[in-house]
Amino acid sequence: MLIKKIKDNLYYYFVQKNTLIANEYEWYVDNHLDEHRVNRMNSWLLLAKLNFHYRILRRRTPLIRKQESNEQKRNNVKLPYLDGSESKLLNRLNPLFFAQELLKYDVISFDIFDTLVLRPFAKPSDLFMLVGSKLKCVDFVKIRIDAEKKAREMAYVQKGNYEVDIFDIYSLIERRTGINKEYGARVEFETELELCFANPYMERVFKLLKGQGKTVIAISDMYLSNDMLTKLLDRCGYQGIDRIYVSCEYNCSKSSGGLYKVVQQELQNRTMIHIGDNYESDIKMAGKLNISTKYYKNVHEAGNPFRADGMSELIGSAYAGIINTYLHNGVNQYNPYYEYGFIYGGLYILGFCNWIYRKAKREGVNKVLFLARDGDIYQRVFNIMFSDMPNEYLYWSRIANNKYTLSINRDDFLTRMVYHKAIGVIPLTISDILKSLSLTDLISKLSEYNLREDTLLVKENVKVIEDFFISNWDHVINAYENQRRHVYGYIKQKIGNSKKVAIIDVGWLGSGPLGLKYLIEQEMNTECKVCCWLAASCSYNPLANINELMNEDIEAYMFSRMLNRNLYDVHAFTNKGTNNIFLELFTQAVYPSFSGFNDEGNFIFDIPEVENYSIIKDIHNGIIDFVKEYIDKFNHYEYMFNISGYDAYLPYRMIIRDPTFLKKHFSSIRFSRGVSGDHSKQRIETIGQILESVGL
């Protein structure tokens, strides 16, 4: 006992007493467990260096965890899931087989936090941010951490161990802040009750064991009382735990070995196995006392190295907490498409929908119109989150916008319908273009311009073909007169009696929403005002919509040339301009693109890219499951949904740092870009072809 006390004192003085040393040394041990177990001398030498660095030299810069530049971080980012799914990294044993291996023991013991019970945060102390909000205490996280540290120091002086309960901690907080200790402790425990949830893996193991009549106990190094932990475990679905041993009530801990000895004495030679996530206290210390163990790797240790950096502290921790607890608990494994939606798209779609709702409420918008096809997943998530904001799904597209707003967008029409198709991957004839635009009656006039209907559209003849359209511009406009009447009726039906609507699109120039704004506010003679809101703005010509951004005819959520400019630069100037494509993968739909109306008023659609539909469904399922998980975990905290556009983009920035994953899994995605009116020709290009064309 004396030797153990001396070791504890030495560890406290040389490690725990200095936060800088503790952070670096504990990080080293966590990331070098095998080396630490085999060669303790290396760890002691490192500890000596850390003490010399921080105590003698009084340095403040990290010694072993050196700060990397942003460029270094981008180059050295760890993406182990590039070859497949992140959820398959640990490849945990099936819960049934895990439970079967425990049945030979008389007593099965579990650690509680991060084993039986999970929190939706990257690290436990981040929960204190929400507690501080409830207590209306600025800088509460630091106050709370410092109070616990000081309480443990005082406990050691008074009784020779570091064990304290939550009221010991809040007695010091009360002295520091004036917050009543009973009230403060109650608020923290209530927050734990609201946020903690059963680890689905261990919940299955627990139920299998109880179904076999096994004795199940829980052992925890914790400041919450036995009664509190009983209530917490019951709330998480662990009814029927036979006994709970908690360090603060026995004045000894798992980490010291004392709490295990208490359990062993009461078990009276019954065989026991302990399961936990902390290698030092749950596995190594229990093993020293001849207790069998099974290690359950902490879900956050497994997932945190692969989460996006640079996010704001609270949202970043919550985002990582949702991903880590969902993907790394071991119950299910998912395919890369599902995980692409869950990890990299879920936060963005969730944040965008909340931004739309709050902005609509604030600005008096009566109805939200989600544009096809990107609006499909937006609307689905929006309606999961909110029930009091009328909204509609509106069929619209680039080609529809080009056809029905010709009076104000001749340049855009010529750029998209002629120039872009001339430089595209798909070879198109002039006949193809005219058929796709319902302008076949102009074929007879081609000879006047020394053109034939089978002439391929290439850069060299763009000017001639543009002149052909300009010379026949009145004819082009008149060709859509009947269709425009159907368009007006359709739009009026969607608007209804609304006096102010918001039109939602993914991006990028904003021509679709702006075209509808022009039709609704000017051509259709309505009293309805239109807001145009984009997920992001990033166009091939950076000056193309600068005026509309300046006067707020267009507003963006994540970035534009005026908002989060560093994100705009990353998006626009990395991966050779293909980042729009990969972001749009989140918002594809399982039906073809809308091409407009025919003269009879029927919808017409482009080629259905049926090869993509199973992938799109998986991506959308991942997004929706993330949203549901987030809502489930934080439904008591409305402000947790106020996700900045900056934070929302950072998971996506993480995956585009190295496009290997995207190229491997999405190159076969097909787009019906620039197809002809003759669908039997099936003129389609893939993401792989697009990437190849830009040399990526």
Side-chain angles (χ1 to χ4, degrees), residues 293-324:
T293 62
K294 284 189 77 69
Y295 180 52
Y296 179 84
K297 187 173 179 66
N298 185 295
V299 295
H300 300 297
E301 288 180 10
N304 279 343
F306 316 125
R307 298 283 73 83
D309 60 344
M311 299 177 73
S312 63
E313 287 72 14
L314 186 51
I315 295 302
S317 183
Y319 162 74
I322 295 292
I323 303 294
N324 297 341

Side-chain angles (χ1 to χ4, degrees), residues 450-580:
N450 294 319
L451 296 170
R452 299 195 313 271
E453 58 183 293
D454 61 351
T455 300
L456 282 177
L457 180 59
V458 293
K459 284 196 294 185
E460 288 75 11
N461 60 18
V462 162
K463 181 66 168 61
V464 176
I465 297 171
E466 285 182 343
D467 288 343
F468 170 75
F469 277 112
I470 292 170
S471 298
N472 292 280
W473 196 246
D474 288 341
H475 182 97
V476 173
I477 291 177
N478 292 334
Y480 300 123
E481 184 175 351
N482 286 338
Q483 294 180 26
R484 273 196 297 274
R485 284 199 292 269
H486 296 303
V487 169
Y488 295 166
Y490 173 64
I491 294 173
K492 285 180 179 179
Q493 177 189 357
K494 291 294 184 179
I495 292 173
N497 297 321
S498 302
K499 298 300 182 184
K500 190 173 186 180
V501 299
I503 298 177
I504 311 302
D505 201 5
V506 62
W508 298 97
L509 186 63
S511 55
L514 286 171
L516 284 165
K517 179 180 175 69
Y518 166 75
L519 293 179
I520 293 168
E521 292 185 348
Q522 298 188 43
E523 281 203 3
M524 291 170 52
N525 195 30
T526 71
E527 296 181 358
C528 182
K529 297 299 180 183
V530 176
C531 304
C532 302
W533 298 342
L534 308 179
S537 174
C538 182
S539 63
Y540 59 91
N541 177 0
L543 300 180
N545 63 352
I546 192 67
N547 293 323
E548 288 76 14
L549 289 166
M550 289 285 291
N551 63 28
E552 297 183 339
D553 279 345
I554 301 172
E555 296 180 76
Y557 168 57
M558 290 191 291
F559 59 81
S560 69
R561 289 184 64 78
M562 298 170 56
L563 172 70
N564 296 331
R565 179 56 189 263
N566 58 330
L567 297 186
Y568 173 92
D569 289 340
V570 167
H571 190 87
F573 303 118
T574 63
N575 296 325
K576 299 188 176 181
T578 61
N579 289 325
N580 282 7

Side-chain angles (χ1 to χ4, degrees), residues 17-173:
K17 191 172 182 179
N18 187 298
T19 303
L20 296 172
I21 294 174
N23 285 342
E24 291 222 79
Y25 184 71
E26 290 173 1
W27 173 85
Y28 171 81
V29 171
D30 287 344
N31 287 275
H32 302 81
L33 284 176
D34 291 336
E35 182 181 342
H36 179 68
R37 290 196 297 270
V38 173
N39 193 341
R40 288 300 179 87
M41 184 59 69
N42 284 347
S43 297
W44 295 341
L45 288 173
L46 174 63
L47 192 55
K49 290 179 182 178
L50 289 169
N51 275 271
F52 181 77
H53 181 77
Y54 289 113
R55 284 200 163 103
I56 306 302
L57 299 180
R58 297 186 178 278
R59 300 277 173 80
R60 307 294 293 177
T61 57
L63 178 64
I64 59 174
R65 299 183 69 181
K66 296 186 182 300
Q67 299 294 316
E68 296 180 296
S69 69
N70 288 336
E71 186 62 31
Q72 286 174 317
K73 287 180 179 179
R74 283 194 290 271
N75 292 337
N76 298 329
V77 65
K78 295 175 68 175
L79 298 176
Y81 38 85
L82 291 178
D83 290 329
S85 302
E86 185 178 339
S87 59
K88 297 178 181 177
L89 286 176
L90 294 181
N91 199 27
R92 298 192 197 269
L93 197 63
N94 182 285
L96 173 61
F97 300 140
F98 189 95
Q100 285 177 339
E101 293 184 358
L102 307 177
L103 292 176
K104 62 184 178 182
Y105 296 92
D106 299 325
V107 177
I108 298 92
S109 164
F110 290 92
D111 169 54
I112 296 179
F113 290 94
D114 294 319
T115 303
L116 288 178
V117 171
L118 302 175
R119 297 183 180 100
F121 289 111
K123 61 180 188 292
S125 60
D126 290 339
L127 177 136
F128 300 152
M129 288 189 265
L130 300 188
V131 177
S133 175
K134 291 181 178 181
L135 296 175
K136 303 189 183 308
C137 181
V138 178
D139 203 20
F140 178 78
V141 175
K142 183 178 186 304
I143 293 169
R144 171 62 176 79
I145 292 173
D146 289 347
E148 182 175 345
K149 180 180 178 182
K150 185 174 181 180
R152 292 190 184 281
E153 292 172 350
M154 292 170 59
Y156 186 81
V157 171
Q158 294 168 4
K159 56 186 182 181
N161 64 69
Y162 295 105
E163 297 308 316
V164 297
D165 65 25
I166 193 169
F167 298 103
D168 296 327
I169 297 168
Y170 273 89
S171 291
L172 296 179
I173 293 174

Side-chain angles (χ1 to χ4, degrees), residues 169-288:
I169 297 168
Y170 273 89
S171 291
L172 296 179
I173 293 174
E174 180 178 31
R175 180 179 178 82
R176 178 76 179 178
T177 66
I179 297 170
N180 178 270
K181 71 175 184 179
E182 300 288 340
Y183 173 69
R186 185 173 75 250
V187 167
E188 180 172 322
F189 179 58
E190 288 173 351
T191 306
E192 293 275 21
L193 288 177
E194 289 171 348
L195 291 170
C196 288
F197 59 97
N199 179 344
Y201 185 94
M202 289 303 173
E203 185 179 23
R204 296 187 187 191
V205 172
F206 173 78
K207 289 180 178 178
L208 288 166
L209 294 173
K210 294 304 292 183
Q212 294 297 312
K214 303 302 294 186
T215 298
V216 178
I217 65 174
I219 307 177
S220 180
D221 286 349
M222 192 59 179
Y223 42 76
L224 297 179
S225 69
N226 191 301
D227 289 342
M228 288 176 171
L229 289 178
T230 300
K231 185 174 181 180
L232 178 66
L233 289 169
D234 283 349
R235 191 181 183 101
C236 289
Y238 294 105
Q239 294 87 11
I241 287 184
D242 296 280
R243 185 72 183 272
I244 297 174
Y245 297 85
V246 57
S247 60
C248 68
E249 295 197 352
Y250 286 90
N251 282 309
C252 57
S253 65
K254 290 186 298 180
S255 59
S256 69
L259 196 54
Y260 290 123
K261 293 177 182 178
V262 171
V263 176
Q264 285 177 314
Q265 186 176 17
E266 294 190 7
L267 290 180
Q268 298 181 345
N269 298 320
R270 298 170 70 192
T271 59
M272 167 185 166
I273 186 169
H274 179 70
I275 301 99
D277 71 288
N278 186 301
Y279 192 86
E280 291 295 318
S281 63
D282 288 315
I283 306 304
K284 186 177 176 182
M285 183 53 69
K288 283 184 177 180

